[in-house]
Amino acid sequence: MRKQRILAIILGVCMLSGLSCEKILNHRSLKLAHGLPIDHPVHKSMEFMAKRCAEISDGKLLIDIYPNEQLGREREAVELLQVGSIAITKVSGAVLENFAPKLRVLGLPYIWRSREHQFKVLDGPIGELLLEAPSAYRLRGLCFYDAGFRSFYTTQKGIHTPDDLSGMKIRVQKSKTATDMVNLLGGSATPIDWGELYSALQQGVVDGAENNPPSFETSRHYEICKYYSLNEHSAVPDVLLISTRWWEILSAQEREWLMEAVHESVIFERKAWAEAEQKSLDVIKAAGVEVIYPDKTPFMDKLSGVFDQYKSEPELYDLILQIQNVKADSVSSSINPSTLTQ
């Protein structure tokens, strides 16, 4: 009797949705969890990926998305991935360096000469190497998403030179690379979880943070921080990860469907990101945020010795040199002030 009731419910779903019962009963669902809000361009790109995966596979491979830290914060999501409780997550490369040390190169200050340089590196052999780096930790990289250039935003005063950071507590991700960078610039790096940052800024636990324009805007941190200095010290990409346990479960055909959707989502995401970056700058300016375009040279000078610190790690240092030697069209900034409404 119970089985008959279940089959009747499935038949009803089929009739209402217009899908065949064969599709409803013969599909695989992958659970994807992340911490971003639903209006963030990266979330929208993952929605696009899920839609395309369903279309490409004719409904046989589905991706269910859980945004807004519904299933845990970034590091918790990675741990769930490792045990196979979820299949896919999106994390910042800065968080992932704690699992795969080679990925520290992604967050090094001023290692990317331009967005074009970064894309050329990440879309090539070096990018493939970095996506494979976490495999020993039961994690497999699927792709890199553009996460823009990170800059400082503060509550009490604008940052025009590194000297302005002196004595200021700046929130950073739980990343040694980010911590070292802020401390070298003269600030006091303070690791705080993303979900706790709004209240930390509001209560004066920290004096500021650093992030890209869409994250600054969608988090509504601009309601508290009225200064945004586009010094663009780093450009840590987001990494889409799959659990190796789930990857091994997928058939060759399912992997093909998934990767086709992933690659299409990268193209979608880069366009969505560029549009969101401009929109976010317009929003924060309209909200009264002072957007500052500082000379980057003093910041670069202050951090000029960072790469040399890795000479004691030959494999990592060689990777740094390889990235620096990749040729790409160079631009001075990912954001051109002349194209923005002042």
Side-chain angles (χ1 to χ4, degrees):
M1 177 66 80
R2 186 169 179 271
K3 288 183 179 178
Q4 290 175 334
R5 287 177 62 192
I6 292 172
L7 287 172
I9 291 170
I10 292 174
L11 180 60
V13 170
C14 293
M15 293 175 64
L16 289 171
S17 64
L19 294 173
S20 70
C21 288
E22 183 180 357
K23 286 182 183 178
I24 292 287
L25 293 170
N26 298 293
H27 75 274
R28 191 190 302 280
S29 293
L30 303 176
K31 190 177 291 186
L32 188 164
H34 69 87
L36 297 172
I38 60 174
D39 56 347
H40 196 283
V42 173
H43 170 77
K44 292 178 180 178
S45 302
M46 289 185 284
E47 281 190 320
F48 173 84
M49 176 184 67
K51 177 175 179 288
R52 287 296 296 135
C53 193
E55 292 171 347
I56 293 165
S57 69
D58 196 26
K60 295 183 179 69
L61 185 62
L62 306 177
I63 299 173
D64 299 322
I65 303 178
Y66 297 81
N68 279 317
E69 297 185 343
Q70 288 181 42
L71 301 184
R73 296 168 182 158
E74 273 192 326
R75 189 178 181 92
E76 293 165 339
V78 173
E79 291 168 351
L80 288 173
L81 216 66
Q82 289 179 300
V83 298
S85 295
I86 61 175
I88 303 173
T89 192
K90 187 289 306 174
V91 298
S92 167
V95 172
L96 198 56
E97 74 179 46
N98 296 303
F99 295 88
K102 192 177 291 185
L103 291 169
R104 281 180 288 170
V105 298
L106 296 173
L108 289 175
Y110 297 110
I111 194 169
W112 310 113
R113 297 188 296 276
S114 66
R115 184 162 271 141
E116 291 78 7
H117 173 229
Q118 185 187 43
F119 290 168
K120 189 164 185 180
V121 171
L122 298 182
D123 291 346
I126 294 175
E128 287 295 324
L129 176 70
L130 293 172
L131 288 174
E132 293 170 5
S135 60
Y137 303 85
R138 301 192 296 279
L139 306 168
R140 178 186 178 89
L142 293 174
C143 70
F144 293 103
Y145 282 146
D146 185 13
F149 282 74
R150 301 176 73 92
S151 298
F152 292 111
Y153 52 87
T154 47
T155 58
Q156 300 299 320
K157 65 176 182 178
I159 305 301
H160 297 266
T161 71
D163 291 342
D164 293 326
L165 288 165
S166 179
M168 296 184 73
K169 292 175 290 184
I170 302 296
R171 179 268 177 180
V172 295
Q173 295 167 292
K174 293 180 179 179
S175 152
K176 185 178 184 301
T177 305
T179 298
D180 290 347
M181 178 196 66
V182 169
N183 289 339
L184 281 170
L185 287 172
S188 177
T190 308
I192 294 176
D193 285 324
W194 178 249
E196 299 172 3
L197 182 52
Y198 189 98
S199 60
L201 290 165
Q202 200 171 40
Q203 296 166 17
V205 175
V206 288
D207 303 303
E210 48 87 47
N211 217 317
N212 53 64
S215 294
F216 180 38
E217 183 245 319
T218 59
S219 63
R220 305 192 72 84
H221 292 168
Y222 67 88
E223 295 175 344
I224 307 164
C225 298
K226 294 301 182 180
Y227 304 91
Y228 193 27
S229 178
L230 294 177
N231 68 306
E232 297 181 321
H233 46 260
S234 65
V236 189
D238 281 339
V239 186
L240 194 66
L241 296 170
I242 187 168
S243 164
T244 54
R245 293 189 178 191
W246 275 95
W247 182 256
E248 289 162 5
I249 289 171
L250 296 178
S251 67
Q253 179 64 82
E254 288 170 330
R255 292 178 187 178
E256 187 177 325
W257 289 332
L258 176 61
M259 291 311 300
E260 184 176 346
V262 166
H263 290 145
E264 288 186 23
S265 77
V266 171
I267 298 169
F268 178 95
E269 193 270 346
R270 289 179 181 175
K271 183 175 184 295
W273 187 271
E275 293 171 353
E277 205 165 61
Q278 177 64 64
K279 170 186 167 291
S280 294
L281 286 168
D282 290 341
V283 168
I284 64 173
K285 286 181 178 181
V289 174
E290 179 185 347
V291 178
I292 301 162
Y293 300 93
D295 179 4
K296 295 180 188 177
T297 305
F299 294 90
M300 292 178 176
D301 290 345
K302 198 91 171 181
L303 298 166
S304 60
V306 167
F307 297 158
D308 291 339
Q309 294 179 6
Y310 295 93
K311 285 183 176 179
S312 60
E313 301 178 60
E315 188 178 5
L316 194 59
Y317 188 67
D318 180 62
L319 194 56
I320 291 169
L321 295 179
Q322 288 182 51
I323 290 173
Q324 290 181 313
N325 288 331
V326 171
K327 304 298 181 185
D329 294 335
S330 180
V331 294
S332 60
S333 171
S334 66
I335 302 171
N336 182 355
S338 65
T339 68
L340 305 177
T341 303
Q342 300 297 322

